[in-house]
Amino acid sequence: MAADPVDTDVIVVGAGPVGLMLAGELRAGGARVTVLERLAEPTTESRASTLHARTMELLDQRGLLDALGTVPHDPAGHFGGIRLDFSGLDSPYAGLWKVPQARTERLLGDRAAGLGAVVARGHELVALRQTASVVEAETVGPGGPLRLRAAYVVGCDGESSTVRRLAGLAFPGTDATRELLRADVAGIDVPDRRFERHEHGLAIAHRRPDGVTRIMVHAFGAAAGERAGEPEFAEVVAAWARVTGEDIGAGRPIWVNAFGNARRLAERYRDGRVLLAGDAAHAQMPVGGQALNLGLQDAVNLGWKLAAQVRGRAPAGLLDSYHDERHAVGHRVLANIETQTTLLLGGPEVEPLRATVVELLRHDAVAGQLAAMISGLDVRYPDGGAPLLGARMPPGWLTAGAGPSGAAEPLRSGRGVLLDLGGGLPPGAADGWADRVRTVPASPAPGPRIGRPAEPGGRAVGAVLLRPDGHIAWADGSPAGLRTALQRWFGTPKA
């Protein structure tokens, strides 16, 4: 029976950073993509401005860092407002990278468009229907209704996701009980403040080189109320005065918003032909920039899998592994954000807890674990417990390749990579998958080894199979094991 005709392989709803990253990944994998965005023009508000180490590694793997240019870098971040040093992480991008959201969107939008993605702006999704073989989406826009048929639809349209609502996907969790008021304000002169706790609340301020000051403020005990829209600037002025005693009322607000500690996680990231990514899949307080980074990493995990699915080369279960892998990561990130929110927005009652955390963070192992968790570097997808499997490729293993991350250059095509580190791979070990997997000889850095903690020193690593997202699918096992891994992640070999 012939498949129903479609207008595009995948419809991505939402042209924010997550939707545009996903569109680029899908196009790199050969899928036809149409992005639907209700806004007629890209937003100029840069609310999410922090990129973490794992996201920077992924941008490097796609060759995007040169276009991003030089960006401010801070080796220290925080955990619940308590200073946390990120500089010791095993990544060439350890620390926090300050990139305005609008700049990230331009970067990812240019890449998606350059690869052939279609971005239709001014189109608001109003109806969605999926059958066994297609998804039908209807929008209203400047030219009237638009109806598209696709093999899959992905909602990248934020916490109030229309895709999630129309598809009837459950979004359990808790509503916000506390909130931070936030504004970018021109024409004020206040001291820079990094998570300053005052008698009546929390104050944060940072003046940018362009003279605009980002203000964030929470009055202890203030509850998050239901809002029909964004708060008025007068509310920020009043809260700032209560907490700091300063009057910022003469300033000119560029934009104002509030974000609370709502915590929700979609029960499923996939329901048939409808999938969710980014804030459409998980709602959280954007503490330390984790929300944006979590969403971008969702997109990189999903893109190559969904592209393989629509091109008919995905092995059984590949697309379902998106939910299995990323839902668990989302659950863990939401838990650490909830902990941070308690430390950050709690009043005097949390001071004993904060004192305990400060003491624990003096231990390098504790600080390193929290920094790796926030940075996304400790993500390891379950893969039977074998050493290294499911982890990202350690950047210090290689000296070959362009850029500071040795494995970055081979991954820029969006294909899988079989790295031959001189371990005696049989000739043509991955020839049957040459259209999906690139075999690359690489020079190992001194001493790359594999082993469990009970195996001092381990044994030298001879070869590694990387998925397109840079996670390890096979490491230095038997040729039969390599073939099994290739079939599991990349499908049936060509004859």
Side-chain angles (χ1 to χ4, degrees):
M1 180 177 178
D4 287 349
V6 295
D7 303 299
T8 186
D9 293 326
V10 181
I11 297 170
V12 175
V13 181
V18 175
L20 294 172
M21 172 65 93
L22 178 59
E25 293 296 288
L26 288 165
R27 285 299 302 141
R32 296 175 299 159
V33 185
T34 299
V35 182
L36 301 176
E37 170 56 53
R38 65 179 181 82
L39 296 178
E41 299 291 338
T43 180
T44 58
E45 297 178 3
S46 291
R47 301 184 179 187
S49 59
T50 298
L51 298 180
H52 285 297
R54 182 58 185 150
T55 300
M56 293 292 286
E57 289 181 359
L58 292 170
L59 294 178
D60 184 15
Q61 289 172 7
R62 297 303 185 252
L64 294 171
L65 290 188
D66 286 346
L68 192 60
T70 302
V71 296
H73 169 247
D74 192 339
H78 72 94
F79 185 83
I82 300 168
R83 188 182 186 279
L84 182 60
D85 186 5
F86 288 71
S87 62
L89 293 173
D90 181 22
S91 171
Y93 305 107
L96 280 63
W97 302 81
K98 296 300 182 180
V99 183
Q101 179 175 326
R103 189 173 175 186
T104 301
E105 285 189 13
R106 284 195 302 273
L107 174 76
L108 299 176
D110 289 347
R111 179 201 183 211
L115 290 172
V118 176
V119 179
R121 290 194 168 273
H123 288 273
E124 183 171 1
L125 183 70
V126 294
L128 190 68
R129 184 175 74 90
Q130 69 166 313
T131 70
S133 56
V134 297
V135 182
E136 299 176 345
E138 181 178 343
T139 74
V140 294
L146 172 67
R147 293 179 177 86
L148 288 175
R149 291 159 62 88
Y152 291 89
V153 168
V154 186
C156 300
D157 50 344
E159 290 185 13
S160 301
S161 170
T162 301
V163 171
R164 190 185 64 235
R165 174 176 58 81
L166 292 175
L169 297 175
F171 200 42
T174 58
D175 292 331
T177 57
R178 298 170 179 168
E179 67 179 6
L180 265 173
L181 299 174
R182 178 170 60 172
D184 274 5
V185 187
I188 62 173
D189 185 13
V190 297
D192 271 15
R193 291 183 164 92
R194 187 177 177 93
F195 302 105
E196 277 191 7
R197 291 174 65 84
H198 296 253
E199 179 182 359
H200 298 296
L202 174 74
I204 305 164
H206 176 67
R207 186 182 179 113
R208 302 197 306 250
D210 62 2
V212 173
T213 300
R214 175 158 295 183
I215 293 289
M216 288 189 278
V217 60
H218 169 73
F220 291 149
E226 291 190 13
R227 296 184 180 275
E230 303 294 9
E232 298 292 332
F233 182 51
E235 188 176 347
V236 180
V237 171
W240 190 261
R242 171 171 170 74
V243 172
T244 69
E246 298 168 352
D247 182 7
I248 60 172
R252 177 175 62 85
I254 296 172
W255 57 264
V256 180
N257 80 329
F259 55 93
N261 64 332
R263 178 183 176 186
R264 295 187 177 277
L265 186 66
E267 281 189 356
R268 297 289 305 174
Y269 282 15
R270 179 192 177 194
D271 177 32
R273 295 182 176 275
V274 178
L275 299 102
L276 303 174
D279 288 349
H282 37 75
Q284 61 285 302
M285 196 169 193
V287 174
Q290 287 188 89
L292 171 62
N293 289 268
L294 180 62
L296 292 173
Q297 291 159 34
D298 288 344
V300 175
N301 182 286
L302 174 60
W304 65 278
K305 297 174 181 178
L306 186 51
Q309 183 77 17
V310 299
R311 295 195 66 188
R313 63 190 187 197
L318 179 67
L319 189 54
D320 283 331
S321 74
Y322 168 63
H323 167 85
D324 297 339
E325 294 179 347
R326 294 305 297 175
H327 191 271
V329 172
H331 186 275
R332 187 164 182 256
V333 171
L334 264 60
N336 97 55
I337 289 176
E338 182 72 12
T339 302
Q340 292 193 67
T341 299
T342 299
L343 294 169
L344 194 64
L345 303 185
E349 74 279 2
V350 304
E351 290 303 331
L353 177 60
R354 288 178 60 85
T356 299
V357 173
V358 168
E359 185 172 339
L360 289 172
L361 288 179
R362 295 193 182 106
H363 297 274
D364 291 345
V366 175
Q369 174 60 32
L370 290 181
M373 177 174 61
I374 292 170
S375 298
L377 297 177
D378 72 337
V379 171
R380 179 176 176 181
Y381 300 130
D383 208 320
L388 295 177
L389 293 188
R392 85 193 212 286
M393 177 69 180
W397 269 16
L398 303 176
T399 57
S405 175
E409 191 278 331
L411 286 163
R412 287 180 182 168
S413 67
R415 292 188 288 166
V417 174
L418 178 59
L419 289 172
D420 184 353
L421 304 176
L425 274 177
D431 281 357
W433 294 267
D435 59 328
R436 289 152 279 172
V437 177
R438 178 183 174 190
T439 300
V440 178
S443 304
R449 311 190 74 77
I450 182 172
R452 298 180 185 277
E455 302 171 344
R459 53 188 171 81
V461 175
V464 174
L465 176 65
L466 300 179
R467 306 180 341 178
D469 57 7
H471 284 260
I472 298 173
W474 172 89
D476 205 34
S478 67
L482 171 59
R483 185 175 182 86
T484 297
L486 286 164
Q487 289 177 321
R488 175 182 179 184
W489 295 109
F490 300 101
T492 304
K494 285 189 173 182

